């Protein structure tokens, strides 16, 4: 998928339609994954310049591997992801999956490793949220579109955690 393909897909479907059309979202994500892998972790179009990872986790209901491209942020040397879902009224599916099973696998650029997802809460979550808004002001705009609290996760290398690593 090229930059123009990604832009065209977004324009044709619109972000809200992607959230409301599971098949369109799967197709869009599949195209982003293909572009990511074909270009050493770089993705163009709407995601040009963003730090994108591929997150593979276990489906909460299915128990099957689930792969999703996500924007991530590095804050104080930590890998952080936030479940904004563009300000939708519900959490993205990956949030439910990580809450059910914190073991996951990520691809960043050409690197790949197992991680443990740790949801952050309270004052730590609030401090991270403020830093995320500084890095990506659109997050604060998303917050105005919903009443839900955006979940924030830190992804720690599995070998650095006490839990056993995920196997993919």
């Amino acid at each position: 998928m090229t930059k123009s393909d990604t832009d065209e897909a977004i324009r044709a479907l619109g972000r809200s339609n992607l959230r409301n059309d599971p098949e369109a979202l799967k197709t869009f994500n599949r195209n982003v994954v293909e572009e990511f892998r074909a270009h050493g972790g770089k993705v163009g179009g709407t995601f040009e310049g963003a730090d994108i990872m591929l997150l593979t986790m276990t489906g909460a209901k299915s128990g099957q591997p689930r792969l999703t491209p996500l924007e991530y942020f590095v804050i104080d040397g930590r890998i952080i992801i936030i479940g904004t879902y563009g300000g939708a009224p519900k959490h993205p599916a990956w949030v439910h999956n990580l809450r059910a099973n914190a073991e996951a696998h990520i691809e960043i650029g050409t690197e790949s490793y197992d991680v443990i997802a740790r949801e952050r809460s309270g004052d730590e979550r609030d401090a991270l949220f403020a830093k995320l808004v500084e890095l990506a002001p659109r997050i604060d705009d998303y917050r105005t579109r919903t009443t839900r609290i955006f979940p924030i996760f830190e992804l720690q290398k599995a070998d650095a955690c006490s839990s056993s690593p995920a196997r993919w």
Side-chain angles (χ1 to χ4, degrees), residues 11-148:
R11 276 193 300 278
L13 295 169
R15 284 194 178 274
S16 63
N17 288 341
L18 280 175
R19 284 192 301 265
N20 296 326
D21 185 342
E23 287 308 310
L25 183 58
K26 283 180 190 177
T27 298
F28 179 80
N29 282 344
R30 185 173 43 252
N31 290 336
V32 172
V33 168
E34 288 172 10
E35 182 181 357
F36 180 98
R37 289 182 172 153
H39 297 101
K42 300 293 181 195
V43 180
T46 303
F47 303 114
E48 186 78 38
D51 292 321
I52 302 295
M53 72 165 53
L54 301 183
L55 174 69
T56 303
M57 74 231 95
T58 303
K61 293 179 185 174
S62 70
Q64 298 300 307
R66 297 289 180 238
L67 172 64
T68 190
L70 287 176
E71 183 174 16
Y72 72 94
F73 301 88
V74 177
I75 298 176
D76 301 327
R78 302 182 301 168
I79 297 172
I80 305 295
I81 55 177
I82 181 169
T84 65
Y85 210 20
K90 65 178 184 172
H91 296 312
W94 64 261
V95 168
H96 302 291
N97 294 336
L98 288 181
R99 284 176 172 165
N101 184 350
E103 294 179 345
H105 186 82
I106 62 172
E107 298 171 51
I108 295 178
T110 58
E111 234 187 310
S112 175
Y113 52 89
D114 293 333
V115 294
I116 303 296
R118 308 263 192 230
E119 188 167 1
R120 298 307 177 194
S121 60
D123 291 342
E124 182 184 17
R125 184 233 167 257
D126 295 344
L128 284 169
F129 184 81
K131 289 180 181 181
L132 288 163
V133 168
E134 285 178 26
L135 293 170
R138 70 186 174 285
I139 292 172
D140 202 37
D141 178 53
Y142 297 156
R143 186 178 52 86
T144 66
R145 299 177 191 178
T146 185
T147 57
R148 71 180 174 87

